[in-house]
Amino acid sequence: MTAQTIILVEDDPGLRTLIARLLQENGFQVRTAATAPEMWIALENGPPAHLVILDIMLPGTNGLDLCRQIRRTSDIPIIFISAKGGDEDRILGLELGADDFLAKPFQPRELVARARAILRRGPMTDGHHARGRNAFVFDGWTVYFSRRELRSPSGAVVDLTGAEFDLLSTFISQPMRVIGRERLIELSRTRLSDSSDRSIDVLVSRLRRKLAAAGGEPPIITVRGVGYMFSAQVTPA
Amino acid sequence: MRLPSIGLLGRILLILAFVLATEFVANTLIFDRASKFALQDDEAHRMAEHIVVARRVMDRTPVANRPAVARELSTTRLTVSWHRGIDTQSTSFSLSGLRDQMLAIEPALFEAKLRLHLMPLRQGGDIAGSVELSDRSTMIFRAAQQKSFWPLTVGRLVALALPALLLALIGGLMIRATLRPLRGLMNATRMVGRQEPAPLVERGPKEVRGLIRDFNVMQLRIHRLIGTRTQALAAVGHDLRTPLARLKLRLDAARLDPEARAAMIGDVREMGDLLRSLQIYLGGEGQSLPAEKIDLAVMASTIIDSARDEGHDVFYDGPANLETWARPVSIRRAIANLVENAIHYGGSARLSIREADDAILIQVDDDGPGIPPDRIESALQPFVRLDDGRARNTRGMGLGLAIVQDAVRAEGAALSLVNRPEGGLRATIRLPHRQPFGGG
């Protein structure tokens, strides 16, 4: 497997160097930029990039505007890192089409894990959730990927933890298909500190409980000895 | 189109002048009315004749018999009496109109020096008067109250009461108008520092305008002061995050013994938490987002599930579903902070949700030491920590409950803290049932 390329946009020189080193040590190719113009240069020169890690506070054009500009022409995955921890920035960032959001100071391992998860998810979800179609419906429930939000058939926001949302995304991307427990654990590793058989089962039972809350039968079927299957029709909203 | 102001003193003088003028006009009208008062012709005739005849009879009657004759001359309509000297009755309301009318009927009354006046209301308000006899003694007469006199009496009552009522009304309205700008100022004072400053329109008397101008300047100054402080704190919070991120990365790469590394990572995380709570407090997290329909029960159980995953002793008791309207980010933060507090101070948390008549009650109980009753109020203040010096193990800056308080207020809800009789603290958020604005 050839090394995947990440563009890192961060104006603080120390942090830029440290993050670049971290990513390189974890097997990524990294091209760095301190400003918006430098980012465009880094994007267009050299082998094609697979992911952009973008600081929100940049001199000149800020990260949110930059994200908007990138999205006009490209579907490249974007992870925001921000010194503002607030949920408003997170929601705005995700709404603009970013794939993930990390508040500074983050755990180095967390950044690597999220980058890996997004790069891994890429080929798997391609074709099914093409960008632009960011909401899906099943059994009256709506899933908004841009805001990482689930709404009940009556329209209420239903809270999910990050791990639960990732699990639901995995199910939605492969409806009517049995997904092995091993595969689910692998896909959820980013969110679970200790990914064991037990914790994936706990996660599934919690998700089931929330999807059953509205009174219907939750559309997650246990396939004994193998894993789980999502049994509802999924349609783009 | 602002007129130059005459000032408070000017206004009060004007009000006084107006009141005096009103009283003057009212009095003039009453006297004028009394003097113009006339009886219907036949009645005036009868009265004039009666007086002329009675005078003639009295004139020819010996002095000793006069009182008795006077009684004889009295009828139900006109009472006659005799007085030895000159008429000394007051003539405050002289009836010159009626007098002219009667003199025209009986010119002889002119020589008899007819005097007419209205009696005070407390003595019946009748028409009374006198004529002089030839020996300069006086015959006094008094017309009994009759229907035709009634308009005069009512008129007098109204005329006497009207100025007082009018004055009270006008004075009240004028003072109210003068004080109205002050009321606006009072309301604005209450809001200083809570919202964007909106300069008040300078109106009212000169002194009040000056006060409003000074208030506007002060309001702006306070706002700027708060703004500068908030910005400074936010900048500190923001600018420290990048070095902290660097520190974390350096720690990760450094060669350290695992125990020291874990301790340092813990320290850095604590600093991150401090900054986060500071930023949430200053930023009013999520309060600018609109209220949405949320499943409060799922929100609560998610918070509890997450805390349990971190190894805490927590428990949720409530419905599986409960849909209501609130700002998701801030109400989630409020509940999570209460649960965190319970875990931190009490070692455990029991979160329960139930519906009362008009509100949803969100309760968080712990088994900790509670809060001394006299410190409950200050526990809600920002930057207040309840641990004393020897047991300083609090993380955070004492913003947890202040953040809850702000979030809860933004929802129109109320936060209360009570020590449970069986020990431990109970925090209750009383969230009123709410419908979306405009029903949509």
Side-chain angles (χ1 to χ4, degrees), chain B residues 104-149:
Chain B
I105 296 162
E106 290 287 345
L109 285 174
F110 185 77
E111 285 161 44
K113 297 188 181 162
L114 173 71
R115 298 174 66 177
L116 278 176
H117 67 264
L118 212 51
M119 295 196 46
L121 280 174
R122 62 177 182 280
Q123 290 173 31
D126 296 343
I127 295 170
S130 61
V131 283
E132 213 175 83
L133 302 187
S134 48
D135 60 352
R136 295 187 70 82
S137 65
T138 312
M139 185 189 92
I140 296 166
F141 57 87
R142 179 173 167 180
Q145 178 81 267
Q146 279 175 30
K147 229 182 165 181
S148 52
F149 298 165

Side-chain angles (χ1 to χ4, degrees), chain B residues 44-218:
Chain B
H45 264 282
R46 197 160 50 234
M47 202 163 135
E49 270 165 28
H50 195 144
I51 291 167
V52 169
V53 172
R55 180 177 176 267
R56 232 169 258 157
V57 173
M58 288 292 272
D59 230 10
R60 289 173 195 165
T61 307
V63 172
N65 292 343
R66 277 183 187 165
V69 171
R71 271 198 297 282
E72 297 271 320
L73 286 168
S74 295
T75 64
T76 48
R77 287 192 175 180
L78 196 75
T79 318
V80 178
S81 59
W82 177 74
H83 182 74
R84 197 178 292 273
I86 300 168
D87 183 13
T88 54
Q89 288 187 70
S90 80
T91 54
S92 59
F93 289 96
S94 62
L95 297 163
S96 60
L98 185 61
R99 185 168 179 270
D100 293 345
Q101 194 182 5
M102 281 167 73
L103 289 179
I105 296 162
E106 290 287 345
L109 285 174
F110 185 77
E111 285 161 44
K113 297 188 181 162
L114 173 71
R115 298 174 66 177
L116 278 176
H117 67 264
L118 212 51
M119 295 196 46
L121 280 174
R122 62 177 182 280
Q123 290 173 31
D126 296 343
I127 295 170
S130 61
V131 283
E132 213 175 83
L133 302 187
S134 48
D135 60 352
R136 295 187 70 82
S137 65
T138 312
M139 185 189 92
I140 296 166
F141 57 87
R142 179 173 167 180
Q145 178 81 267
Q146 279 175 30
K147 229 182 165 181
S148 52
F149 298 165
W150 185 236
L152 185 61
T153 314
V154 172
R156 283 174 69 201
L157 265 175
V158 171
L160 280 175
L162 202 64
L165 287 176
L166 211 63
L167 288 181
L169 190 74
I170 288 166
L173 285 177
M174 284 176 143
I175 288 168
R176 216 175 82 125
T178 309
L179 293 184
R180 191 175 306 146
L182 283 180
R183 195 168 310 147
L185 194 62
M186 216 162 71
N187 293 335
T189 309
R190 234 176 275 138
M191 298 314 293
V192 168
R194 293 202 191 163
Q195 59 183 31
E196 284 295 302
L200 290 180
V201 180
E202 288 173 30
R203 60 196 177 109
K206 194 167 62 192
E207 290 85 348
V208 174
R209 282 187 199 178
L211 191 61
I212 292 177
R213 193 176 313 120
D214 291 349
F215 170 82
N216 283 337
V217 172
M218 181 191 76

Side-chain angles (χ1 to χ4, degrees), chain B residues 21-34:
Chain B
T22 311
E23 197 184 8
F24 177 77
V25 169
N27 279 340
T28 310
L29 278 176
I30 292 168
F31 288 123
D32 196 44
R33 205 178 150 154

Side-chain angles (χ1 to χ4, degrees), chain B residues 304 306-315 339 343-344 347-349:
Chain B
I304 291 299
S306 300
R308 189 174 296 141
D309 287 348
E310 287 169 26
H312 298 298
D313 176 16
V314 289
F315 185 71
V339 169
I343 292 168
H344 181 74
S348 66

